[in-house]
Amino acid sequence: MLSTTDKLLAEKDGAIGRIVFNQPEKRNAISFEMWQAIPVALDAFAADDAIRVVVVSGAGGKAFSAGADVSQFESKRSSKDTTAEYNTAVMHAVENLKAFDKPTIAKIEGYCLGGGLNVAVACDLRIAGDDARFAIPAAKLGLGYRYGSIRMLMDLVGPANTKEILYSARQFNAEEARAMGLVNQVLPGAKLDEYVDSYAARIAGNAPLTVHAVKTIVAEALKDADQRDLALCEELVERCFASEDYKEGRRAFMEKRKPNFTGS
């Protein structure tokens, strides 16, 4: 099973796994059930060696996600116990996405707000349409924003931009988001699908061991110095040099052809 709810689609498309928030009538607001479904989908993609990269997006073309489904807050986030359960599901989803060992791309159209932005920040890359709008409106709702989410955002855009995003709770356009480093690239909306598909295919065609080593080493470098596993970093680099893919890469370069990497 790739998903536990029809409001979160999880599909295989060759070497690309796709996770789609599927509640367009609510601008893809993320329900409790959708938060629970994200780790299920990721586990399925992690176990499938054919999947080399995962693209996360929203259905309908109007929103990546407008954030958590506020209509559930009265039933799911109003008491201490229900709030703890809800927050655990959110943290589990975001942490699983951040720790996922294959590359992830957030394809962002329209609104990317609150919890939706938290999901996008947990991805490795963010590619946005020029109509995208970004905000974390926690200060307008009286919500507390947890250390892990603030740290993840701060690692991406720095302390000053993090404060501006959270203090103001205002919406930022795609160019503002690119200027602060919140997104990697901005494309005209009509070109976004084709570009992201092509970019995902490019990543999927590269050596999986190399890509995995880079993802892991970057994650280690972002940790506090006393928590970094430098031995693991070195082991992953050595694994690349000892791999069949390294031999294939050298041969393909000399033969002037596209390499066929297998991840071994």
Side-chain angles (χ1 to χ4, degrees):
M1 180 181 292
L2 294 186
S3 180
T4 55
T5 172
D6 60 3
K7 293 186 183 301
L8 185 113
L9 307 179
E11 303 164 340
K12 291 176 57 174
D13 181 11
I16 303 171
R18 299 187 186 276
I19 293 176
V20 183
F21 297 123
N22 188 37
Q23 197 166 208
E25 69 280 5
K26 291 187 175 182
R27 292 179 175 172
N28 296 318
I30 308 173
S31 68
F32 179 69
E33 295 76 16
M34 292 161 74
W35 288 117
Q36 291 181 311
I38 291 172
V40 175
L42 291 173
D43 285 347
F45 290 143
D48 189 340
D49 290 339
I51 298 296
R52 300 279 183 86
V53 59
V54 171
V55 175
V56 184
S57 63
K62 299 292 181 65
F64 176 79
S65 170
D69 191 344
V70 179
S71 69
Q72 291 188 322
F73 280 14
E74 191 62 32
S75 61
K76 297 289 189 182
R77 221 173 179 183
S78 58
S79 71
K80 184 176 181 180
D81 289 343
T82 58
T83 298
E85 182 182 17
Y86 189 98
N87 288 347
T88 296
V90 173
M91 285 190 295
H92 188 52
V94 173
E95 288 171 1
N96 271 258
L97 184 56
K98 183 181 178 183
F100 187 65
D101 65 357
K102 300 176 183 181
T104 53
I105 302 172
K107 182 179 72 174
I108 302 168
E109 299 175 276
Y111 294 103
C112 182
L113 312 178
L117 182 52
N118 206 19
V119 168
V121 169
C123 292
D124 295 320
L125 302 173
R126 285 148 298 282
I127 302 175
D130 55 10
D131 66 338
R133 295 294 182 271
F134 304 85
I136 298 176
K140 290 183 177 180
L141 297 169
L143 296 173
Y145 225 65
R146 294 184 176 276
Y147 172 85
S149 295
I150 291 179
R151 177 62 189 267
M152 191 166 61
L153 180 63
M154 192 173 72
D155 285 341
L156 188 62
V157 303
N161 286 323
T162 297
K163 290 175 183 178
E164 183 177 5
I165 290 168
L166 288 164
Y167 287 178
S168 71
R170 74 176 179 90
Q171 289 189 15
F172 296 81
N173 65 34
E175 287 301 329
E176 288 176 304
R178 178 165 58 179
M180 68 174 65
L182 188 57
V183 299
N184 297 84
Q185 299 187 55
V186 176
L187 279 296
K191 297 183 178 181
L192 184 63
D193 286 349
E194 181 182 359
Y195 183 87
V196 172
D197 285 351
S198 175
Y199 209 84
R202 174 189 288 269
I203 293 172
N206 287 335
L209 292 177
T210 301
V211 173
H212 173 64
V214 170
K215 178 162 185 171
T216 302
I217 292 170
V218 170
E220 291 297 319
L222 288 171
K223 294 179 180 178
D224 294 335
D226 61 350
Q227 295 180 343
R228 294 171 190 155
D229 190 341
L230 298 183
L232 172 62
C233 296
E234 186 61 25
E235 177 187 335
L236 292 176
V237 171
E238 291 302 319
R239 191 180 299 172
C240 292
F241 284 117
S243 69
E244 292 299 316
D245 278 353
Y246 179 47
K247 296 177 185 177
E248 166 64 8
R250 299 199 311 270
R251 285 194 296 263
F253 180 81
M254 297 302 296
E255 296 167 9
K256 298 181 179 179
R257 61 174 174 82
K258 183 178 179 179
N260 180 28
F261 294 121
T262 63
S264 60

